[in-house]
């Protein structure tokens, strides 16, 4: 069977499994846990399907697994013992009797399509061994590490902030959050651009740019920053924070004009 079709069918089965989990658990935010784990699954299935034990394939498999497993565990521990994530609660009310059908198509299957696009650099790397590891691979690893630092440290800083009762009702503005309003999202995007740089060392690797472009678009324009910014706007500290701190790319603080 065709390499890419086989991977698509594996992913289709995977997302259907998580839809069944959501029905049993009666919460759709399990899809967020499935997101990171799905990348690790696709990385290793494609690696073994290719029949090529290249160092580059092993490298990206490890990088994607570290990212995906950390993210899945972070989301699982964050949601454990709490009500379903606010985004899915809103959809439960808005979708009414169509909730389960729309969840299947708009949450699970659509997420599977996006996952397939984002992971495309990894699939291409495992399909085409390419040359030995070189400078581009090192640059890609450096970009990935930079992004992983922002995502992992940003998440950890926010988790500690939220757990402190003294911060109830306050807005996180410390650590990496003092340079970008979304260090974790910036880190996630940077990691996928790093993976793409590694993919440039294999034949036709440049076309897998669809991967980082997709995750960048989703986070900047769809389900990432726009939804969170809308929620943050309800905090009275947000207006000043927004004027002073970059929305995405880490930058020095901006001075607030005094009028």
């Amino acid at each position: 069977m065709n390499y890419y079709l086989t991977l698509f069918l594996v992913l289709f089965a995977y997302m259907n499994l998580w839809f069944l989990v959501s029905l049993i658990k009666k919460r759709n935010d399990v899809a967020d846990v499935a997101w990171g784990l799905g990348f690790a699954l696709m990385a290793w299935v494609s690696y073994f399907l290719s029949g090529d034990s290249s160092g580059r394939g092993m490298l990206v498999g490890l990088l994607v697994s570290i990212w995906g497993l950390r993210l899945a565990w972070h989301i699982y521990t964050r949601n454990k013992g709490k009500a379903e994530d606010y985004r899915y609660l809103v959809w439960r009310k808005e979708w009414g009797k169509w909730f389960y059908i729309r969840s299947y198509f708009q949450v699970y299957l659509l997420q599977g399509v996006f996952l397939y696009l984002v992971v495309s650099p990894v699939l291409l790397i495992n399909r085409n061994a390419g040359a030995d590891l070189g400078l581009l691979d090192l640059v890609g690893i450096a970009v990935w590490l930079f992004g992983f630092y922002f995502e992992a440290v940003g998440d950890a800083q926010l988790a500690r902030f939220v757990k402190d009762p003294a911060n109830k009702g306050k807005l996180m503005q410390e650590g990496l959050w003092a340079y970008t309003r979304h260090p974790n999202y910036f880190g996630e995007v940077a990691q996928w651009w790093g993976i793409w740089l590694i993919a440039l060392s294999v034949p036709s690797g440049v076309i897998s740019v669809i991967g980082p472009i997709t995750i960048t678009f989703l986070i900047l324009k769809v389900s990432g920053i726009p939804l969170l910014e809308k929620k943050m706007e309800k905090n009275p500290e947000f207006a000043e924070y927004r004027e002073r701190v970059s929305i995405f790319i880490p930058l020095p603080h901006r001075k607030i004009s005094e009028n």
Side-chain angles (χ1 to χ4, degrees), residues 59-60 63 134-148 190-201:
L59 169 66
V60 294
L63 295 180
L135 180 60
L136 268 178
D137 298 287
L138 295 177
V139 174
I141 292 170
V143 172
W144 185 91
L145 288 171
F146 182 69
F148 184 76
Q191 286 171 87
W192 283 104
W193 282 103
I195 295 292
W196 176 70
L197 287 174
I198 296 174
L200 290 179
S201 295

Side-chain angles (χ1 to χ4, degrees), residues 160-228:
R160 286 195 299 269
F161 180 85
V162 171
K163 287 180 180 179
D164 188 345
N167 294 325
K168 186 175 182 180
K170 296 182 180 180
L171 197 64
M172 176 58 167
Q173 303 181 47
E174 305 167 355
L176 296 179
W177 301 78
Y179 301 97
T180 163
R181 301 203 295 273
H182 305 280
N184 46 357
Y185 284 145
F186 168 78
E188 182 167 347
V189 167
Q191 286 171 87
W192 283 104
W193 282 103
I195 295 292
W196 176 70
L197 287 174
I198 296 174
L200 290 179
S201 295
V202 306
S204 303
V206 66
I207 65 174
S208 66
V209 71
I210 186 64
I213 287 177
T214 298
I215 193 65
T216 304
F217 176 75
L218 289 175
I219 283 179
L220 288 179
K221 300 297 183 181
V222 185
S223 61
I225 288 176
L227 291 178
L228 192 51

Side-chain angles (χ1 to χ4, degrees), residues 239-254:
E240 185 271 341
Y241 181 54
R242 176 171 53 190
E243 185 176 350
R244 181 170 49 85
V245 177
S246 167
I247 186 173
F248 185 64
I249 297 175
L251 295 172
H253 303 172
R254 293 190 293 263

